[in-house]
Amino acid sequence: MRILITLIILLIASDTFAANTALVGGRLIDGYGNAPLANSVILVKDNIIVQVGTVDTLPIPEGYTVISTEGMDVLPGLWENHAHLMLNGHADYVHWDKTYINRLSDEIMPASALQLLLAGVTSARDLGAPLQDSINIKQRIASGEIPGPRLFVSGPFLQHKAYPGTEAFRWSINSVKDARQKVDKLAAAGVDIIKLIDQDKMSLQEAQAIVEQAHKHGLKVVAHAHRPDEIRRGLVIGVDNFEHTGLTTAPGFPKDVLNQLKERTATGRVAGGPLFWTPTVEGLWNYDAMVANPEHLDADCWHRGLKPDTIADIKQSLQQPGKLSYMQLTPLRKPTLKNKIAQLREAGVVFLVGTDSGIPTKFHCQSTWNELAVWVDVMEIPAMDTLRAATYWPAVMMGVSDKLGTISEGKYADIIAVKGDVLRYINRLSDVSLVMKNGVIYKKEGRVVENVL
């Protein structure tokens, strides 16, 4: 029996870690936006895609393990462009921050990373967490110690004045010198991006110093767009990516803001590339449906990696989702979303898929595909454009499109597969059948490959 068990483990491991793998038969949506490729063949050697073709044009070389993707759509691994790995859906921020601040590296953030990965997210931008925890999790994932998406981390927010009790992951800015020094500290620690909020509350010189110093280090800057003046100031100082639709219950963006956005998008490459925008609309749009039917809060996918007491704590905080103070303005915001999305699209910004995953009621195992579905089914953004906003464009924004974002020769083998036609039924992404990251399979035929976790 012991020998048999050993053989079974070896067989599973050889399939999971096969140096040479061929994904054969599925329809390939490669991330470039071109017509899908039927009956595709993708050859993966070690962690790199070495060749892409079809069953008629690309023979499978000897020594390759064949994995059938027949009946599936095959796509680049998804990006989640606005995640909070330090959060797991708990409804009370003050309680959460006090109770779990010392459990982030050993429990909370690894659990969040794993849940994202198994949902088909192979790259994620983690926008706000204590610096040491952020770098720790990023490095452990990169080394293979723990499973998770490729992380692009910001570390702490930079803002005018940190809220009391949040100083571990929000850093106040009190002068131009302080702004430059804090960016230098983040860059030296190894962050990948700078997160700026409340830039309209800072002096122009302080906000400008943050962007200038970040760009000197080759780091992009993402900035909140909750208030019109945050957008106006962000455009003046040259941020690279705005987050959220913002403006609470206002019906749309002011005309002067839209004109400034159009001027910025018209300059294109001259201004340093496209102006990116992560609207994060799903949680706002779906709130009333969630209150009417909160059953998805009982799903156990968000339990993975968390301790029993953590799970119980999150559950009790969500007993009455319709009464959460965090959400009381949401029903008034919902009617504004379609117009705001249409205004931004007309202004020429390049959308990125992100969700604020981890905030109250939003779980890492669900949020990303929910956002995709709202874009396609409600906001009437074409499915192909939506998928590119979750694959190709994030890699461009982060400056890693030479290795990520598409399924093509020379790229890292970050690949997912889904049964059915995602261009017609985008919510098929709620049940990803295959997850490969860096050539390693973490999920196959809808089942988690436990021996790689």
mmCIF file of all heavy atoms in Angstrom, residues 161-202:
data_model
loop_
_atom_site.group_PDB
_atom_site.id
_atom_site.type_symbol
_atom_site.label_atom_id
_atom_site.label_comp_id
_atom_site.label_asym_id
_atom_site.label_seq_id
_atom_site.Cartn_x
_atom_site.Cartn_y
_atom_site.Cartn_z
ATOM 1 N N LYS A 161 -2.937 62.858 5.298
ATOM 2 C CA LYS A 161 -2.881 62.529 6.718
ATOM 3 C C LYS A 161 -3.532 61.169 6.933
ATOM 4 O O LYS A 161 -4.707 60.982 6.607
ATOM 5 C CB LYS A 161 -3.590 63.596 7.562
ATOM 6 C CG LYS A 161 -3.422 63.401 9.062
ATOM 7 C CD LYS A 161 -3.979 64.576 9.830
ATOM 8 C CE LYS A 161 -3.825 64.409 11.334
ATOM 9 N NZ LYS A 161 -2.419 64.255 11.752
ATOM 10 N N ALA A 162 -2.769 60.244 7.473
ATOM 11 C CA ALA A 162 -3.283 58.892 7.714
ATOM 12 C C ALA A 162 -4.385 58.917 8.759
ATOM 13 O O ALA A 162 -4.323 59.673 9.734
ATOM 14 C CB ALA A 162 -2.152 57.978 8.168
ATOM 15 N N TYR A 163 -5.399 58.067 8.540
ATOM 16 C CA TYR A 163 -6.475 57.968 9.520
ATOM 17 C C TYR A 163 -5.945 57.317 10.797
ATOM 18 O O TYR A 163 -5.099 56.413 10.733
ATOM 19 C CB TYR A 163 -7.631 57.150 8.963
ATOM 20 C CG TYR A 163 -8.015 57.493 7.539
ATOM 21 C CD1 TYR A 163 -8.329 56.482 6.632
ATOM 22 C CD2 TYR A 163 -8.057 58.817 7.103
ATOM 23 C CE1 TYR A 163 -8.670 56.792 5.318
ATOM 24 C CE2 TYR A 163 -8.402 59.134 5.806
ATOM 25 C CZ TYR A 163 -8.708 58.109 4.907
ATOM 26 O OH TYR A 163 -9.042 58.416 3.613
ATOM 27 N N PRO A 164 -6.407 57.738 11.965
ATOM 28 C CA PRO A 164 -5.934 57.130 13.221
ATOM 29 C C PRO A 164 -6.127 55.618 13.218
ATOM 30 O O PRO A 164 -7.190 55.106 12.840
ATOM 31 C CB PRO A 164 -6.824 57.795 14.283
ATOM 32 C CG PRO A 164 -7.211 59.109 13.685
ATOM 33 C CD PRO A 164 -7.361 58.840 12.217
ATOM 34 N N GLY A 165 -5.078 54.902 13.602
ATOM 35 C CA GLY A 165 -5.131 53.451 13.653
ATOM 36 C C GLY A 165 -4.724 52.763 12.370
ATOM 37 O O GLY A 165 -4.675 51.529 12.318
ATOM 38 N N THR A 166 -4.433 53.537 11.307
ATOM 39 C CA THR A 166 -4.068 52.931 10.018
ATOM 40 C C THR A 166 -2.624 53.239 9.625
ATOM 41 O O THR A 166 -2.227 52.977 8.495
ATOM 42 C CB THR A 166 -4.999 53.433 8.902
ATOM 43 O OG1 THR A 166 -4.734 54.827 8.645
ATOM 44 C CG2 THR A 166 -6.457 53.246 9.265
ATOM 45 N N GLU A 167 -1.859 53.776 10.555
ATOM 46 C CA GLU A 167 -0.526 54.273 10.198
ATOM 47 C C GLU A 167 0.422 53.183 9.696
ATOM 48 O O GLU A 167 1.414 53.490 9.021
ATOM 49 C CB GLU A 167 0.098 54.991 11.400
ATOM 50 C CG GLU A 167 -0.602 56.283 11.793
ATOM 51 C CD GLU A 167 -1.803 56.071 12.705
ATOM 52 O OE1 GLU A 167 -2.144 54.896 13.001
ATOM 53 O OE2 GLU A 167 -2.406 57.087 13.131
ATOM 54 N N ALA A 168 0.125 51.920 9.997
ATOM 55 C CA ALA A 168 0.990 50.833 9.531
ATOM 56 C C ALA A 168 0.933 50.671 8.019
ATOM 57 O O ALA A 168 1.901 50.204 7.404
ATOM 58 C CB ALA A 168 0.596 49.514 10.200
ATOM 59 N N PHE A 169 -0.198 51.041 7.403
ATOM 60 C CA PHE A 169 -0.332 50.852 5.959
ATOM 61 C C PHE A 169 -0.792 52.115 5.235
ATOM 62 O O PHE A 169 -1.115 52.077 4.053
ATOM 63 C CB PHE A 169 -1.306 49.704 5.657
ATOM 64 C CG PHE A 169 -2.619 49.784 6.378
ATOM 65 C CD1 PHE A 169 -3.703 50.426 5.814
ATOM 66 C CD2 PHE A 169 -2.770 49.222 7.637
ATOM 67 C CE1 PHE A 169 -4.912 50.509 6.480
ATOM 68 C CE2 PHE A 169 -3.984 49.285 8.315
ATOM 69 C CZ PHE A 169 -5.057 49.938 7.738
ATOM 70 N N ARG A 170 -0.798 53.242 5.948
ATOM 71 C CA ARG A 170 -1.037 54.549 5.335
ATOM 72 C C ARG A 170 0.007 55.518 5.875
ATOM 73 O O ARG A 170 0.120 55.669 7.091
ATOM 74 C CB ARG A 170 -2.448 55.058 5.660
ATOM 75 C CG ARG A 170 -3.574 54.227 5.050
ATOM 76 C CD ARG A 170 -4.924 54.713 5.560
ATOM 77 N NE ARG A 170 -6.029 53.948 5.018
ATOM 78 C CZ ARG A 170 -6.714 54.268 3.920
ATOM 79 N NH1 ARG A 170 -6.383 55.359 3.247
ATOM 80 N NH2 ARG A 170 -7.709 53.514 3.508
ATOM 81 N N TRP A 171 0.739 56.159 4.999
ATOM 82 C CA TRP A 171 1.796 57.065 5.420
ATOM 83 C C TRP A 171 1.397 58.506 5.114
ATOM 84 O O TRP A 171 1.070 58.844 3.968
ATOM 85 C CB TRP A 171 3.104 56.741 4.703
ATOM 86 C CG TRP A 171 3.754 55.465 5.160
ATOM 87 C CD1 TRP A 171 3.324 54.625 6.138
ATOM 88 C CD2 TRP A 171 4.951 54.903 4.643
ATOM 89 N NE1 TRP A 171 4.183 53.563 6.275
ATOM 90 C CE2 TRP A 171 5.198 53.702 5.360
ATOM 91 C CE3 TRP A 171 5.847 55.276 3.647
ATOM 92 C CZ2 TRP A 171 6.290 52.887 5.113
ATOM 93 C CZ3 TRP A 171 6.949 54.466 3.380
ATOM 94 C CH2 TRP A 171 7.168 53.288 4.120
ATOM 95 N N SER A 172 1.446 59.349 6.140
ATOM 96 C CA SER A 172 1.158 60.774 5.963
ATOM 97 C C SER A 172 2.326 61.470 5.277
ATOM 98 O O SER A 172 3.490 61.089 5.451
ATOM 99 C CB SER A 172 0.912 61.445 7.320
ATOM 100 O OG SER A 172 -0.181 60.852 7.991
ATOM 101 N N ILE A 173 2.001 62.500 4.522
ATOM 102 C CA ILE A 173 3.011 63.321 3.853
ATOM 103 C C ILE A 173 2.934 64.726 4.442
ATOM 104 O O ILE A 173 1.859 65.352 4.434
ATOM 105 C CB ILE A 173 2.770 63.371 2.326
ATOM 106 C CG1 ILE A 173 2.849 61.964 1.725
ATOM 107 C CG2 ILE A 173 3.760 64.325 1.665
ATOM 108 C CD1 ILE A 173 4.190 61.282 1.876
ATOM 109 N N ASN A 174 4.055 65.223 4.956
ATOM 110 C CA ASN A 174 4.006 66.525 5.628
ATOM 111 C C ASN A 174 4.910 67.581 5.028
ATOM 112 O O ASN A 174 4.990 68.702 5.534
ATOM 113 C CB ASN A 174 4.317 66.367 7.126
ATOM 114 C CG ASN A 174 5.634 65.640 7.370
ATOM 115 O OD1 ASN A 174 6.647 65.950 6.765
ATOM 116 N ND2 ASN A 174 5.598 64.651 8.259
ATOM 117 N N SER A 175 5.628 67.252 3.926
ATOM 118 C CA SER A 175 6.453 68.245 3.249
ATOM 119 C C SER A 175 6.935 67.652 1.927
ATOM 120 O O SER A 175 6.811 66.442 1.689
ATOM 121 C CB SER A 175 7.668 68.635 4.102
ATOM 122 O OG SER A 175 8.576 67.536 4.200
ATOM 123 N N VAL A 176 7.497 68.507 1.081
ATOM 124 C CA VAL A 176 8.064 68.018 -0.183
ATOM 125 C C VAL A 176 9.216 67.055 0.096
ATOM 126 O O VAL A 176 9.334 65.993 -0.535
ATOM 127 C CB VAL A 176 8.548 69.208 -1.041
ATOM 128 C CG1 VAL A 176 9.365 68.718 -2.231
ATOM 129 C CG2 VAL A 176 7.364 70.035 -1.511
ATOM 130 N N LYS A 177 10.055 67.411 1.055
ATOM 131 C CA LYS A 177 11.178 66.536 1.405
ATOM 132 C C LYS A 177 10.681 65.191 1.899
ATOM 133 O O LYS A 177 11.198 64.125 1.505
ATOM 134 C CB LYS A 177 12.038 67.211 2.484
ATOM 135 C CG LYS A 177 13.240 66.371 2.912
ATOM 136 C CD LYS A 177 14.055 67.107 3.975
ATOM 137 C CE LYS A 177 15.249 66.260 4.417
ATOM 138 N NZ LYS A 177 16.047 66.961 5.475
ATOM 139 N N ASP A 178 9.661 65.220 2.747
ATOM 140 C CA ASP A 178 9.087 63.987 3.276
ATOM 141 C C ASP A 178 8.491 63.144 2.152
ATOM 142 O O ASP A 178 8.626 61.907 2.142
ATOM 143 C CB ASP A 178 8.012 64.328 4.303
ATOM 144 C CG ASP A 178 7.430 63.106 4.985
ATOM 145 O OD1 ASP A 178 8.211 62.260 5.465
ATOM 146 O OD2 ASP A 178 6.191 62.983 5.041
ATOM 147 N N ALA A 179 7.841 63.787 1.197
ATOM 148 C CA ALA A 179 7.254 63.066 0.064
ATOM 149 C C ALA A 179 8.338 62.313 -0.708
ATOM 150 O O ALA A 179 8.185 61.122 -1.027
ATOM 151 C CB ALA A 179 6.531 64.041 -0.855
ATOM 152 N N ARG A 180 9.428 62.993 -1.000
ATOM 153 C CA ARG A 180 10.502 62.341 -1.763
ATOM 154 C C ARG A 180 11.149 61.214 -0.948
ATOM 155 O O ARG A 180 11.455 60.138 -1.484
ATOM 156 C CB ARG A 180 11.550 63.376 -2.175
ATOM 157 C CG ARG A 180 11.024 64.415 -3.146
ATOM 158 C CD ARG A 180 12.134 65.306 -3.693
ATOM 159 N NE ARG A 180 11.611 66.349 -4.550
ATOM 160 C CZ ARG A 180 11.256 66.198 -5.823
ATOM 161 N NH1 ARG A 180 11.393 65.012 -6.401
ATOM 162 N NH2 ARG A 180 10.782 67.221 -6.514
ATOM 163 N N GLN A 181 11.350 61.450 0.331
ATOM 164 C CA GLN A 181 11.993 60.438 1.167
ATOM 165 C C GLN A 181 11.133 59.183 1.292
ATOM 166 O O GLN A 181 11.657 58.064 1.268
ATOM 167 C CB GLN A 181 12.293 61.018 2.546
ATOM 168 C CG GLN A 181 13.436 62.029 2.562
ATOM 169 C CD GLN A 181 13.671 62.630 3.936
ATOM 170 O OE1 GLN A 181 12.788 62.623 4.802
ATOM 171 N NE2 GLN A 181 14.875 63.151 4.154
ATOM 172 N N LYS A 182 9.835 59.359 1.404
ATOM 173 C CA LYS A 182 8.958 58.194 1.545
ATOM 174 C C LYS A 182 8.895 57.398 0.239
ATOM 175 O O LYS A 182 8.863 56.158 0.259
ATOM 176 C CB LYS A 182 7.574 58.625 2.013
ATOM 177 C CG LYS A 182 7.557 58.985 3.512
ATOM 178 C CD LYS A 182 6.149 59.074 4.060
ATOM 179 C CE LYS A 182 6.166 59.057 5.598
ATOM 180 N NZ LYS A 182 6.488 60.340 6.202
ATOM 181 N N VAL A 183 8.879 58.075 -0.882
ATOM 182 C CA VAL A 183 8.945 57.350 -2.164
ATOM 183 C C VAL A 183 10.271 56.606 -2.276
ATOM 184 O O VAL A 183 10.312 55.444 -2.704
ATOM 185 C CB VAL A 183 8.747 58.310 -3.348
ATOM 186 C CG1 VAL A 183 9.001 57.574 -4.672
ATOM 187 C CG2 VAL A 183 7.349 58.895 -3.345
ATOM 188 N N ASP A 184 11.354 57.259 -1.882
ATOM 189 C CA ASP A 184 12.667 56.598 -1.912
ATOM 190 C C ASP A 184 12.672 55.349 -1.039
ATOM 191 O O ASP A 184 13.231 54.309 -1.417
ATOM 192 C CB ASP A 184 13.761 57.562 -1.425
ATOM 193 C CG ASP A 184 14.070 58.668 -2.413
ATOM 194 O OD1 ASP A 184 13.683 58.543 -3.592
ATOM 195 O OD2 ASP A 184 14.691 59.672 -1.999
ATOM 196 N N LYS A 185 12.053 55.443 0.131
ATOM 197 C CA LYS A 185 12.018 54.301 1.053
ATOM 198 C C LYS A 185 11.227 53.146 0.440
ATOM 199 O O LYS A 185 11.646 51.978 0.520
ATOM 200 C CB LYS A 185 11.404 54.723 2.382
ATOM 201 C CG LYS A 185 11.373 53.610 3.435
ATOM 202 C CD LYS A 185 10.867 54.127 4.777
ATOM 203 C CE LYS A 185 10.880 53.013 5.821
ATOM 204 N NZ LYS A 185 10.427 53.512 7.151
ATOM 205 N N LEU A 186 10.103 53.453 -0.168
ATOM 206 C CA LEU A 186 9.297 52.417 -0.810
ATOM 207 C C LEU A 186 10.063 51.777 -1.960
ATOM 208 O O LEU A 186 10.072 50.548 -2.119
ATOM 209 C CB LEU A 186 7.978 53.005 -1.305
ATOM 210 C CG LEU A 186 6.992 53.452 -0.220
ATOM 211 C CD1 LEU A 186 5.845 54.241 -0.842
ATOM 212 C CD2 LEU A 186 6.449 52.258 0.552
ATOM 213 N N ALA A 187 10.685 52.601 -2.780
ATOM 214 C CA ALA A 187 11.434 52.073 -3.924
ATOM 215 C C ALA A 187 12.582 51.186 -3.461
ATOM 216 O O ALA A 187 12.831 50.110 -4.036
ATOM 217 C CB ALA A 187 11.956 53.229 -4.775
ATOM 218 N N ALA A 188 13.306 51.628 -2.420
ATOM 219 C CA ALA A 188 14.438 50.840 -1.911
ATOM 220 C C ALA A 188 13.984 49.499 -1.360
ATOM 221 O O ALA A 188 14.718 48.503 -1.433
ATOM 222 C CB ALA A 188 15.174 51.632 -0.833
ATOM 223 N N ALA A 189 12.784 49.463 -0.820
ATOM 224 C CA ALA A 189 12.260 48.211 -0.257
ATOM 225 C C ALA A 189 11.843 47.227 -1.336
ATOM 226 O O ALA A 189 11.716 46.023 -1.064
ATOM 227 C CB ALA A 189 11.079 48.510 0.662
ATOM 228 N N GLY A 190 11.559 47.733 -2.549
ATOM 229 C CA GLY A 190 11.220 46.832 -3.640
ATOM 230 C C GLY A 190 9.770 46.854 -4.092
ATOM 231 O O GLY A 190 9.307 45.890 -4.694
ATOM 232 N N VAL A 191 9.044 47.956 -3.827
ATOM 233 C CA VAL A 191 7.678 48.020 -4.330
ATOM 234 C C VAL A 191 7.699 48.157 -5.848
ATOM 235 O O VAL A 191 8.708 48.522 -6.456
ATOM 236 C CB VAL A 191 6.877 49.180 -3.702
ATOM 237 C CG1 VAL A 191 6.876 49.077 -2.179
ATOM 238 C CG2 VAL A 191 7.401 50.545 -4.163
ATOM 239 N N ASP A 192 6.547 47.898 -6.467
ATOM 240 C CA ASP A 192 6.430 47.932 -7.918
ATOM 241 C C ASP A 192 5.636 49.116 -8.425
ATOM 242 O O ASP A 192 5.640 49.398 -9.628
ATOM 243 C CB ASP A 192 5.733 46.655 -8.405
ATOM 244 C CG ASP A 192 6.406 45.408 -7.883
ATOM 245 O OD1 ASP A 192 7.437 45.030 -8.450
ATOM 246 O OD2 ASP A 192 5.908 44.820 -6.892
ATOM 247 N N ILE A 193 4.938 49.792 -7.511
ATOM 248 C CA ILE A 193 4.035 50.866 -7.897
ATOM 249 C C ILE A 193 3.787 51.730 -6.664
ATOM 250 O O ILE A 193 3.924 51.261 -5.534
ATOM 251 C CB ILE A 193 2.712 50.269 -8.445
ATOM 252 C CG1 ILE A 193 1.884 51.306 -9.194
ATOM 253 C CG2 ILE A 193 1.898 49.595 -7.341
ATOM 254 C CD1 ILE A 193 0.754 50.693 -10.017
ATOM 255 N N ILE A 194 3.464 52.985 -6.876
ATOM 256 C CA ILE A 194 3.173 53.904 -5.776
ATOM 257 C C ILE A 194 1.675 54.200 -5.783
ATOM 258 O O ILE A 194 1.101 54.524 -6.828
ATOM 259 C CB ILE A 194 3.964 55.217 -5.920
ATOM 260 C CG1 ILE A 194 5.475 54.942 -5.883
ATOM 261 C CG2 ILE A 194 3.570 56.202 -4.819
ATOM 262 C CD1 ILE A 194 5.988 54.360 -4.589
ATOM 263 N N LYS A 195 1.045 54.107 -4.601
ATOM 264 C CA LYS A 195 -0.372 54.437 -4.483
ATOM 265 C C LYS A 195 -0.524 55.773 -3.763
ATOM 266 O O LYS A 195 -0.075 55.940 -2.636
ATOM 267 C CB LYS A 195 -1.145 53.359 -3.740
ATOM 268 C CG LYS A 195 -2.641 53.691 -3.673
ATOM 269 C CD LYS A 195 -3.484 52.566 -3.134
ATOM 270 C CE LYS A 195 -4.959 52.936 -3.157
ATOM 271 N NZ LYS A 195 -5.822 51.860 -2.616
ATOM 272 N N LEU A 196 -1.208 56.687 -4.431
ATOM 273 C CA LEU A 196 -1.402 58.046 -3.939
ATOM 274 C C LEU A 196 -2.894 58.302 -3.771
ATOM 275 O O LEU A 196 -3.682 58.012 -4.671
ATOM 276 C CB LEU A 196 -0.805 59.029 -4.951
ATOM 277 C CG LEU A 196 -1.060 60.522 -4.766
ATOM 278 C CD1 LEU A 196 -0.461 61.021 -3.467
ATOM 279 C CD2 LEU A 196 -0.466 61.289 -5.954
ATOM 280 N N ILE A 197 -3.286 58.830 -2.615
ATOM 281 C CA ILE A 197 -4.683 59.241 -2.426
ATOM 282 C C ILE A 197 -4.697 60.613 -1.764
ATOM 283 O O ILE A 197 -3.686 61.078 -1.229
ATOM 284 C CB ILE A 197 -5.489 58.219 -1.589
ATOM 285 C CG1 ILE A 197 -5.104 58.280 -0.112
ATOM 286 C CG2 ILE A 197 -5.298 56.811 -2.123
ATOM 287 C CD1 ILE A 197 -6.038 57.471 0.787
ATOM 288 N N ASP A 198 -5.845 61.249 -1.823
ATOM 289 C CA ASP A 198 -5.998 62.590 -1.236
ATOM 290 C C ASP A 198 -4.993 63.574 -1.788
ATOM 291 O O ASP A 198 -4.562 64.507 -1.087
ATOM 292 C CB ASP A 198 -5.860 62.535 0.294
ATOM 293 C CG ASP A 198 -6.966 61.744 0.956
ATOM 294 O OD1 ASP A 198 -7.989 61.488 0.296
ATOM 295 O OD2 ASP A 198 -6.808 61.379 2.138
ATOM 296 N N GLN A 199 -4.613 63.410 -3.043
ATOM 297 C CA GLN A 199 -3.624 64.317 -3.626
ATOM 298 C C GLN A 199 -4.138 65.752 -3.689
ATOM 299 O O GLN A 199 -3.342 66.705 -3.690
ATOM 300 C CB GLN A 199 -3.180 63.843 -5.011
ATOM 301 C CG GLN A 199 -4.292 63.681 -6.037
ATOM 302 C CD GLN A 199 -4.879 62.272 -6.053
ATOM 303 O OE1 GLN A 199 -4.693 61.518 -5.100
ATOM 304 N NE2 GLN A 199 -5.559 61.925 -7.125
ATOM 305 N N ASP A 200 -5.454 65.919 -3.675
ATOM 306 C CA ASP A 200 -6.010 67.265 -3.666
ATOM 307 C C ASP A 200 -5.922 67.925 -2.298
ATOM 308 O O ASP A 200 -6.075 69.142 -2.172
ATOM 309 C CB ASP A 200 -7.472 67.246 -4.138
ATOM 310 C CG ASP A 200 -8.347 66.318 -3.305
ATOM 311 O OD1 ASP A 200 -7.827 65.291 -2.817
ATOM 312 O OD2 ASP A 200 -9.546 66.601 -3.146
ATOM 313 N N LYS A 201 -5.669 67.128 -1.258
ATOM 314 C CA LYS A 201 -5.514 67.670 0.094
ATOM 315 C C LYS A 201 -4.067 68.074 0.380
ATOM 316 O O LYS A 201 -3.800 68.834 1.313
ATOM 317 C CB LYS A 201 -5.963 66.642 1.135
ATOM 318 C CG LYS A 201 -7.399 66.142 0.962
ATOM 319 C CD LYS A 201 -8.419 67.227 1.155
ATOM 320 C CE LYS A 201 -9.837 66.673 1.080
ATOM 321 N NZ LYS A 201 -10.856 67.721 1.201
ATOM 322 N N MET A 202 -3.143 67.544 -0.398
ATOM 323 C CA MET A 202 -1.740 67.922 -0.258
ATOM 324 C C MET A 202 -1.503 69.249 -0.968
ATOM 325 O O MET A 202 -2.323 69.711 -1.772
ATOM 326 C CB MET A 202 -0.836 66.872 -0.906
ATOM 327 C CG MET A 202 -0.931 65.480 -0.347
ATOM 328 S SD MET A 202 0.162 64.357 -1.279
ATOM 329 C CE MET A 202 -0.250 62.805 -0.477
#
